[in-house]
Amino acid sequence: RNGGTLTGWTISGSVGVNPYWQDTRTPAGPAKPFADNGKTPHGSHVLFMQNEAVVRQIVPGFRSGHRYQVLYWENGRDAQISAEAQILEVKLGGITVVSPHEVPPIERSQHYTMPYARVESAIFIPERDGAHEVLFQTHRGGGTSVLIDHVRLVDLGV
């Protein structure tokens, strides 16, 4: 884990937290090997998932009949071994709410002008009250990576 830990999340595979900053003292490039392009929407760190990996968390407090949505921002790492983009899928309560899709880089490495892509999941309506799992899963190896920031679960009401 480069730059921090994932408090409250269970992980498998190559997953970590990468600092995001532009260090003008190093002309060869800032010390952020995964967050190498795009402007992050929130804070100073992003989650990275490389190759096939899973990040999950059990979230309490869901109410039957309410509508929920996962909101987050995504980007692909530009400096990767493979020319293919990573594939990301998001599940909530065991149901796919963001279909598997490629996540290409927003812009070239060492460029930080374009924002990450904002993602709104499909609506999830739990059949029972209580805890449900939110899960982010990558599906491609070969050195491909995805960057995720500012994850939120929103209760849209009934």
Side-chain angles (χ1 to χ4, degrees):
R1 293 183 187 102
N2 180 13
T5 60
L6 296 172
T7 305
W9 292 85
T10 302
I11 64 171
S12 64
S14 181
V15 175
V17 176
N18 200 196
Y20 171 83
W21 69 87
Q22 292 186 44
D23 187 349
T24 57
R25 297 167 295 171
T26 55
K32 51 183 182 302
F34 289 90
D36 69 349
N37 78 94
K39 184 176 179 180
T40 61
H42 183 73
S44 60
H45 290 79
V46 296
L47 167 73
F48 71 83
M49 299 174 71
Q50 185 176 42
N51 298 320
E52 294 182 35
V54 174
V55 176
R56 60 175 44 138
Q57 183 178 80
I58 303 296
V59 180
F62 284 88
R63 297 186 348 207
S64 176
H66 276 235
R67 299 174 310 123
Y68 295 89
Q69 195 169 38
V70 180
L71 305 175
Y72 68 95
W73 297 75
E74 67 182 20
N75 188 10
R77 181 182 184 194
D78 185 51
Q80 340 194 67
I81 297 168
S82 173
E84 296 180 306
Q86 181 57 271
I87 296 172
L88 178 66
E89 176 180 16
V90 181
K91 294 182 179 183
L92 182 54
I95 297 171
T96 298
V97 292
V98 177
S99 297
H101 63 284
E102 287 193 342
V103 182
I106 296 297
E107 54 189 339
R108 291 188 338 248
S109 185
Q110 307 307 314
H111 288 80
Y112 303 96
T113 58
M114 301 291 293
Y116 280 31
R118 185 174 189 269
V119 178
E120 296 181 5
S121 77
I123 303 297
F124 170 72
I125 303 173
E127 295 180 4
R128 61 170 175 78
D129 289 349
H132 291 279
E133 178 182 73
V134 60
L135 177 140
F136 287 78
Q137 182 173 10
T138 53
H139 294 285
R140 184 172 275 158
T144 60
S145 303
V146 68
L147 310 164
I148 300 171
D149 194 31
H150 202 42
V151 176
R152 297 166 323 283
L153 282 170
V154 179
D155 181 345
L156 302 171
V158 290

